[in-house]
Amino acid sequence: MRLQKWGLGFLVFLGLTGTAIRGDDYKLDNVHSSATFKIGHLGISWVHGRFNELSGDFSVTDKGGNFNLTVKADSIDTGIAARDKHLKSPDFFNVKQFPTITFKSSSVKAADGGLAVTGNLTMHGVTKPVSFTLKGGKTADFKGQVRIGYTTDLTLKRSEFGMDQFIGALSDEVIVSFSFEGVKK
Amino acid sequence: MIPLSFVGGVLLTAVLAAAIVAGRGHSNSPFRFQFLAWPIGVGLAFFVGALVYSGRPRWPFLKENEDRFLAVLIPLVTWIEALGLLSKPWFAWPGRLLVALVATPVLLFGSTYFEAWTPAQASLWFGGLAGCLMLAWVSLDRQVRHLPPRTVVLGLAGVNAGAGLTLMFAGYATGGPLGIILAVALATTALVTPRSIPPEPLTAAAGIGLVGLFALLVSGHFFAALSLDHAAILFATPLLAWILVLPRIRRTALLRLAVLVLEAIPVLGIVGLAWKRSEEPEPPRQVVDDGGYSPADYQNFGK
């Protein structure tokens, strides 16, 4: 009887704090997700930018999950139209040739505070394995829809993806912050 | 600051083009074999200069427009022009038609245009651009035969250099210098060409320069921000030289000067306009009128 009470209490606690609901499929909500980046300029400051169009599907299970995320390269936005044009050209992303940046997970495991994710990142036509920890996994019930959110920071070397122009003026390392919300299907 | 790789590429292109044309073989070897030095001089010198400057083409060769330009189009047109010099003059034209037909699809291969365009749109673009390239090729071939041939090639070099600068102002900073390297290959070849040489080998050199110009402009428009009007004016600039046929200018020196000046005017104009456009202050970002929105709309976004 005492055990049942504890169990009931634990379930109430889970419901209040919004811990992840496992074994569900989610669709990425572009409105409440963001992929931002910063790149060093002349070694003295950072230029910030973002991608405005994200999409994807993912599932979270007790054993891990599966993530398929896509960023539209053409949606790059640094706040300066001329710079965005240059970033879209073959000097950098070559968005007409490589319209999307995709991530497909190959391994997702539970980790402290979230999920340890490994997978393949394809950018500028080059696919490289990357690993990162997705922090979060809390859920919220919003107007009858269950939502789940994750966030991560990772550092990429753009030269490894074939974008090696202007290294020196612009840093090779780019710090990417990705935060996304999924709506349960 | 000008990158060292660019300076190296330019110097190597000039030295290689001059060496190939100047050292084309013994004077008693058959003319037609000597002529091969012109297309090989321009094609190889440009290829090597581009490789030194940009490290392209990169493996896999079909991945990006610049790789396809350097690894597919330039060798193809060089080979066709060389073959044309070894056979009867008309023999080059089927090959040139082939280059004109495949140039745009090769440059745009695997890009979003292949998915976005309907078959009708693709046919219009590919067919229209092939037609433009073919017309320009016929015109250039005639110009080399009817006007001072070395000056025609020098004029084409100037247009290539202008296209390169325009491309840089159009947000394709690493693609533009290829136009300048190609201009150096053409100009060096023209300058070391003796007056006694008949026009045939220079038509071959000019053909490579024309395909290079076409590829730069197509790449600039479809992959960067080169406007169609700027691209069209630059591509049509060599046609201006035909004006000089009308008054029948007798003095060769005057004719040469007139060809270069006539072609320089639109090229400098477009470079200036492209520079001005790149310097223009940005219009303020549009502010969305939030009068029609409510918090409820925002809360329903993404569903």
Side-chain angles (χ1 to χ4, degrees), chain A residues 138-156:
Chain A
K138 287 183 180 176
T139 62
D141 191 331
F142 187 65
K143 291 198 168 183
Q145 283 185 313
V146 176
R147 288 166 173 266
I148 192 167
Y150 289 99
T151 185
T152 190
D153 295 315
L154 67 157
T155 301
L156 302 172

Side-chain angles (χ1 to χ4, degrees), chain A residues 71-119:
Chain A
V71 173
K72 196 175 170 192
D74 195 32
S75 70
I76 194 167
D77 181 356
T78 64
I80 305 287
R83 182 165 59 203
D84 295 344
K85 269 186 201 170
H86 191 199
L87 287 168
K88 291 174 190 180
S89 82
D91 286 349
F92 291 96
F93 284 93
N94 201 356
V95 299
K96 295 295 183 189
Q97 191 75 57
F98 310 113
T100 56
I101 300 164
T102 58
F103 174 77
K104 196 173 173 60
S105 66
S106 55
S107 159
V108 180
K109 291 175 186 166
D112 187 26
L115 299 167
V117 181
T118 299

Side-chain angles (χ1 to χ4, degrees), chain A residues 35-41 46-53 72-88 92-93 170 174-175, chain B residues 282 285:
Chain A
T36 63
F37 62 86
K38 63 177 183 176
I39 184 167
H41 182 239
W46 297 95
V47 171
H48 293 247
R50 58 175 289 150
F51 291 94
N52 291 326
E53 290 182 45
K72 196 175 170 192
D74 195 32
S75 70
I76 194 167
D77 181 356
T78 64
I80 305 287
R83 182 165 59 203
D84 295 344
K85 269 186 201 170
H86 191 199
L87 287 168
K88 291 174 190 180
F92 291 96
F93 284 93
L170 299 171
V174 183
I175 298 168
Chain B
E282 271 186 60
R285 296 231 163 176

